[in-house]
Structures are given as structure tokens and as C-alpha cells.
């Protein structure tokens, strides 16, 4: 029967492994996937390292539920998913190493589970290859152990699309329905707007299909994940439309902006390219990015020839819609924005590469395999160099924040305390202080409120070295620190002297 639990899935590859009760995990093809996920976890801990300090955005997410510092200002575009994800560690520990280790293990497990979903459609070697391609990108390795949402949107997208295909092929597969809901909820939990863009092709497919349970699972997942963000919009931002408008303003005004060249410039290891100026990177750095759509198209051609188009076409469609806002609607770039795109493209690309090195009778083509191995080795070398340089540069910046926080403590600015001005959010987190700014994207107070707070608790304003202090800090004592000037408010009555 077409709807039977053990029915052959529509669009599945002939000869692909199917679930057999009692079969070992190796027979299910889980061994290679587990190996890739484990290697991914180890690579994060070795190449990025558990000691890398938290970045600007990370301090915002972590501070919401943290033993380290009071919550930082949470701007309109952000969602609470990352804060809840890290809460099992950050609610009681201030150890960055413990947090990095926790996230590295979790991201490896997430990759393993998301790849397993696709086993009815592709053989283990293709799925293992897809996992390796995605996990070996410098941006994936860097953000896997990071307290940031984009990697988890990618994992949710990969799982959601795979489960959607399974649910369409076998209407009795209740686990697939739960997978669709869970994947959609994870995406919306992390970045609601990304979840909508990514699932657009799925929603379109549901219009003529009249699959009530599948539609309910997808919509329930999106609503569950995005419900808190929408409720917060009503309570704190004047409504959903107002929050979307504010988020657009903070992101530079969403509209027609061709950011393809910005994404190319960011591939050298820039975590944020805003403004994105300068020359284009060396061709060897961007070659993989330019070849990616061609390889994906080759994967679609392979699938069409084998008459199993849908399992390849659907992730390609979802990858395309997920890429639209970050390639054409914002005027800056960050490589992490496209992580969901890379995850969804990885399976068709791995299928194309597998077809390239495999003859019709299943034997490996030695010449093609050798050339592909050389190309992939070069690709891995480039990814490692970019990652190594990025980690070194970013670690130096975060060490400066640590030194500035130590200087603040030395000058008497200790919790409870307030930090304002340039780079106030990350420095305040490292110092254990509250942060505030009267202007800019993170404005959450007024100059008068800062002055009143300075009369009660130790307060410091930060500015670029040699520059004038903020208007409210004129007359405060100035001390140099690591790339910043510290303007120290007079000690509160009965407070500590500096």
C-alpha cells in the first residue's frame, strides 16, 4: 500500500537503505554520519578552541540568562532562542570553555540527527559527504561552538526539509511530522524571519497538496518557535509591524540591495562586513563559493536523470529563498547569514560529486576520484588558513575587552556598575556591569538617566582613544586602556575612590 509504514518512499533512490526493525546502526548507515559529526565536534574544539572569548552579539545573548552580568539591551531583530539554548550552562557558570564545549557537542549532535533524516533518499556515503562538506567550511567551524543563532537555523532547515519530504512520501510517518514541526520551531526559535524565508517553498507545495496534517505540523512549528517573538513584539515594541520596522531600520533599511559582492568580501574571515569596502579576496578564497551553485545544478541534473528530482529540487528551492534577504535585501554582509543555505546545498552537491567519481556499475573512477581528492584537499587547506587567521584576529579583539574590563575594576568600576559609550555592551559583560547607551542602534536610556545612575553606582564611559568623551561624561577623569579611553564618573557618595 502506498501509505504503508514500510512503503518505498516516493522519489527515493533505488537501493537506498530502508529502516529494518532490529537492524544495527551500521546497517542503517549511521556509522559514517556519526563519524562525521564526531570529527566536526573535535575540529571545533581544536581549531577554534574552548578558550575563545565571547563576541559582541554573543554577550548580548548570553547576558539574558547569565551569572556573569546583567542583561544587555535586546534589540528588535534578535530572538530569544540562543539565550534559552545556552541557559543550562550560563545560568550557573561563567566559564567560556564550558560553554564552548557544550555548544560544540550539541552542534555535532544536531548535525548527526539532521543528516539521519535524509537516509531514505540518499546513501550513507552521500550524506556523510554532505556533512563533511558543510562541517569543513571555516564559517561552520567558527559558529558551531558560538552562542549565535545561524548554525541552528541551518540544522533546523536541514531537518525540516528532510522530514517534509518523508512526510509527503509516507503519510503514515508520524515521526516525520514531528520532525517537520521541530525543525520549523528550531528555526523560528532562533531567527523567525529566516524561518519564514526558508520554508516558503514548503508552504507553496502545501497549497495544492491539501495535506492537512503536514500543513498543521509546519505551521504549528513556526508558530511555536516564533510565538514568543511575536508576543514580545506586542508587549515591548508596539506590535509586530512596529518591531519589523524597527528591525529593518537597525539593519540599515531592508530593500533592494545587491549584497553578493559584500558576501564575497566577507569570505576572508570577516565576521561582519559593515560597511563592506575594500578589494575582492584572492580568487582561491572565493572559488568554492562561486562553484557552489554550479555543483548544486549538477546535483539537480543527476537527480533528474535518475528520476528522483524532488529530494534534490526541494532543498535547492529552500536554499534559494533562504539566500534572498542576505544577497538582495540588506546592504551589508556576514558569512554566518548563509549557513542555512550551505547546509541545504550540501546534500545535492555531495550527490553530484559522488556521481562524478562513480561509474554506472558502482565502481570508483580512479582518475576522477584522485582529481576530486586533490581539489578537496586544496579547499580544506584554504578553509583552515582563513579560519586560523580569523580566530587569531578575533581572539586579539576579545583580549582587549578583557584588559579593558580589568582596567575598569582597577579604577574602581566593579559590580554593581554601569558602562556606556563605544563597545559598552561587550566590555560591560566582561566587567560584570550593566550597559547603556542614549543613542544608536542599542539606545535604551537617556543622558539624564546615565547621570543619575553615576550618582549611585560606579560608572564609566568609553570612547575611541584621543577622541572627546560623550557629552554626559565631560569633566570625568580619563584613563587610557586597550584601544579605548575610559572616562570615569566621580565616585558616588560613600562609594569607592579611584
Amino acid at each position: 500500500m502506498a501509505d504503508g509504514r514500510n512503503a518505498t518512499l516516493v522519489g527515493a533512490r533505488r537501493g537506498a537503505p530502508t529502516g529494518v526493525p532490529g537492524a544495527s546502526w551500521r546497517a542503517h548507515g549511521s556509522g559514517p554520519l556519526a563519524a562525521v559529526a564526531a570529527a566536526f565536534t573535535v575540529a571545533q574544539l581544536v581549531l577554534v578552541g574552548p578558550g575563545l572569548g565571547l563576541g559582541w552579539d554573543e554577550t548580548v545573548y548570553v547576558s539574558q540568562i547569565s551569572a556573569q552580568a546583567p542583561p544587555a539591551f535586546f534589540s528588535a531583530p534578535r530572538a530569544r532562542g540562543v539565550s534559552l539554548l545556552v541557559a543550562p550552562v550560563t545560568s550557573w557558570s561563567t566559564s567560556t570553555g564550558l560553554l564552548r564545549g557544550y555548544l560544540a557537542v550539541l552542534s555535532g549532535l544536531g548535525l548527526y540527527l539532521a543528516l539521519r533524516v535524509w537516509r531514505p533518499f540518499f546513501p550513507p556515503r552521500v550524506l556523510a559527504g554532505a556533512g563533511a562538506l558543510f562541517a569543513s567550511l571555516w564559517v561552520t567551524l567558527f559558529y558551531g561552538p558560538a552562542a549565535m543563532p545561524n548554525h541552528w537555523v541551518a540544522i533546523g532547515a536541514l531537518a525540516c526539509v528532510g522530514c517534509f519530504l518523508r512526510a509527503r512520501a509516507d503519510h503514515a510517518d508520524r515521526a516525520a511530522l514531528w520532525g517537520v514541526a521541530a525543525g520549523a520551531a528550531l528555526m523560528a526559535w532562533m531567527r523567525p524571519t529566516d524561518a519564514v524565508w526558508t520554508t516558503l517553498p514548503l508552504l507553496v507545495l502545501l497549497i495544492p497538496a491539501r495535506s492537512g496534517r503536514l500543513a498543521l505540523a509546519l505551521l504549528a512549528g513556526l508558530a511555536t518557535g516564533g510565538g514568543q517573538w511575536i508576543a514580545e513584539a506586542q508587549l515591548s515594541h508596539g506590535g509586530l509591524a512596529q518591531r519589523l520596522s524597527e528591525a529593518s531600520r537597525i539593519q540599515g533599511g531592508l530593500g533592494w540591495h545587491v549584497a553578493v559582492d559584500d558576501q564575497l568580501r566577507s569570505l576572508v574571515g570577516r565576521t561582519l562586513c559593515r560597511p563592506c569596502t575594500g578589494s575582492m579576496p584572492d580568487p582561491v578564497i572565493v572559488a568554492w563559493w562561486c562553484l557552489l551553485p554550479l555543483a548544486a545544478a549538477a546535483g539537480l541534473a543527476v537527480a533528474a536523470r535518475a528520476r528522483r528530482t524532488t529530494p534534490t529540487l526541494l532543498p535547492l528551492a529552500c536554499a534559494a529563498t533562504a539566500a534572498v534577504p542576505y544577497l538582495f535585501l540588506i546592504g551589508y554582509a556576514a558569512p554566518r547569514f548563509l549557513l542555512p543555505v550551505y547546509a541545504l546545498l550540501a546534500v545535492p552537491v555531495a550527490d553530484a560529486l559522488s556521481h562524478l567519481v562513480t561509474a554506472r556499475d558502482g565502481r570508483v573512477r580512479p582518475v576522477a576520484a584522485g582529481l576530486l581528492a586533490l581539489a578537496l584537499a586544496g579547499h580544506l587547506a584554504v578553509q583552515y588558513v582563513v579560519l586560523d587567521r580569523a580566530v587569531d584576529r578575533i581572539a586579539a579583539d576579545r583580549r582587549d575587552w578583557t584588559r579593558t574590563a580589568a582596567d575598569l575594576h582597577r579604577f574602581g568600576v566593579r559590580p554593581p556598575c554601569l558602562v556606556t559609550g563605544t563597545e559598552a555592551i561587550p566590555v560591560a559583560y566582561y566587567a560584570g556591569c550593566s550597559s547603556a547607551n542614549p543613542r544608536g542602534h542599542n539606545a535604551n536610556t537617556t543622558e539624564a538617566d546615565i547621570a543619575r545612575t553615576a550618582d549611585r553606582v560606579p560608572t564609566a564611559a568609553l570612547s575611541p582613544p584621543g577622541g572627546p568623551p560623550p557629552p554626559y561624561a565631560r569633566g570625568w577623569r580619563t584613563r587610557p586602556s586597550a584601544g579605548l579611553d575610559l572616562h570615569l564618573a566621580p565616585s558616588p557618595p560613600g562609594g569607592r575612590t579611584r
Side-chain angles (χ1 to χ4, degrees):
M1 293 177 62
D3 290 339
R5 182 170 297 277
N6 295 318
T8 301
L9 295 178
V10 175
R13 177 192 293 267
R14 186 175 299 169
T18 56
V20 178
S24 72
W25 71 307
R26 289 185 178 85
H28 283 165
S30 298
L33 306 186
V36 168
F40 175 47
T41 296
V42 173
Q44 294 173 63
L45 297 175
V46 172
L47 300 179
V48 178
L52 182 67
L54 298 182
W56 183 307
D57 291 295
E58 288 183 293
T59 62
V60 174
Y61 290 119
V62 169
S63 69
Q64 305 305 307
I65 306 175
S66 174
Q68 169 77 16
F73 174 68
F74 208 76
S75 62
R78 302 186 188 275
R80 302 280 175 177
V82 173
S83 301
L84 296 175
L85 182 73
V86 301
V89 173
T90 61
S91 60
W92 60 274
S93 173
T94 61
S95 171
T96 301
L98 180 61
L99 178 61
R100 297 283 188 222
Y102 163 76
L103 289 172
V105 171
L106 211 59
S107 62
L109 178 61
L111 180 62
Y112 169 73
L113 294 175
L115 289 172
R116 273 177 58 98
V117 168
W118 291 82
R119 289 178 304 166
F121 307 106
F122 297 93
R125 68 177 182 277
V126 169
L127 297 178
L133 288 173
F134 176 65
S136 61
L137 296 176
W138 77 263
V139 64
T140 311
L141 287 165
F142 185 82
Y143 285 104
M148 295 289 284
N150 310 87
H151 175 79
W152 296 103
V153 176
I155 295 300
L158 193 60
C160 181
V161 175
C163 287
F164 185 91
L165 285 166
R166 293 179 64 153
R168 286 189 78 222
D170 182 0
H171 299 302
D173 191 345
R174 293 185 178 180
L177 291 174
W178 283 105
V180 169
L186 179 59
M187 286 189 286
W189 193 32
M190 295 295 169
R191 290 184 71 90
T193 53
D194 283 13
V196 173
W197 279 103
T198 304
T199 57
L200 275 179
L202 309 185
L203 294 168
V204 170
L205 278 180
L206 287 173
I207 294 173
R210 297 179 181 176
S211 177
R213 291 199 304 169
L214 184 52
L216 179 62
L218 180 58
L219 294 175
L222 293 173
T224 300
Q228 186 277 331
W229 197 82
I230 295 172
E232 189 176 66
Q234 296 297 129
L235 296 173
S236 304
H237 295 271
L240 180 59
Q242 183 62 33
R243 183 168 195 174
L244 290 171
S245 175
E246 178 68 9
S248 174
R249 184 189 65 80
I250 289 173
Q251 295 174 92
L254 297 182
W256 182 252
H257 301 283
V258 178
V260 175
D261 56 336
D262 293 343
Q263 285 292 343
L264 286 170
R265 290 187 179 94
S266 74
L267 293 177
V268 295
R270 300 173 67 175
T271 56
L272 181 63
C273 198
R274 184 181 189 183
C276 210
T277 56
S279 58
M280 284 292 178
D282 191 287
V284 73
I285 293 177
V286 301
W288 72 270
W289 200 85
C290 298
L291 292 173
L292 190 60
L294 299 178
L300 181 58
V302 168
R305 286 182 59 187
R307 297 182 180 179
R308 47 177 178 78
T309 307
T310 302
T312 297
L313 181 58
L314 191 57
L316 292 180
C318 291
T321 55
V324 166
Y326 298 117
L327 294 182
F328 303 110
L329 297 181
I330 63 173
Y332 63 97
R336 59 186 171 87
F337 291 162
L338 296 181
L339 275 171
V341 178
Y342 302 148
L344 290 167
L345 293 182
V347 174
V349 169
D351 193 31
L353 296 180
S354 176
H355 180 80
L356 177 67
V357 301
T358 307
R360 287 178 177 271
D361 59 2
R363 292 182 300 171
V364 174
R365 297 185 177 109
V367 175
L371 292 175
L372 179 60
L374 287 175
L376 291 176
H379 170 69
L380 290 176
V382 170
Q383 296 301 306
Y384 169 75
V385 170
V386 173
L387 176 64
D388 187 58
R389 291 177 179 174
V391 169
D392 285 346
R393 184 182 65 256
I394 292 163
D397 292 340
R398 297 174 188 183
R399 284 194 295 269
D400 286 346
W401 292 337
T402 301
R403 287 195 292 269
T404 300
D407 287 341
L408 288 173
H409 289 172
R410 183 162 57 89
F411 295 134
V413 182
R414 302 186 185 94
C417 47
L418 176 68
V419 177
T420 72
T422 304
E423 299 186 4
I425 287 178
V427 171
Y429 176 84
Y430 279 77
C433 301
S434 297
S435 60
N437 271 304
R439 59 183 61 86
H441 295 323
N442 296 299
N444 62 340
T445 190
T446 65
E447 292 186 2
D449 284 338
I450 292 174
R452 283 191 291 268
T453 302
D455 290 334
R456 294 184 287 105
V457 300
T459 301
L462 314 181
S463 68
Y472 54 84
R474 289 171 185 162
W476 294 3
R477 299 178 63 186
T478 300
R479 294 288 185 271
S481 186
L484 292 168
D485 281 345
L486 313 182
H487 308 283
L488 309 171
S491 297
R496 296 180 290 271
T497 60
R498 300 185 179 93

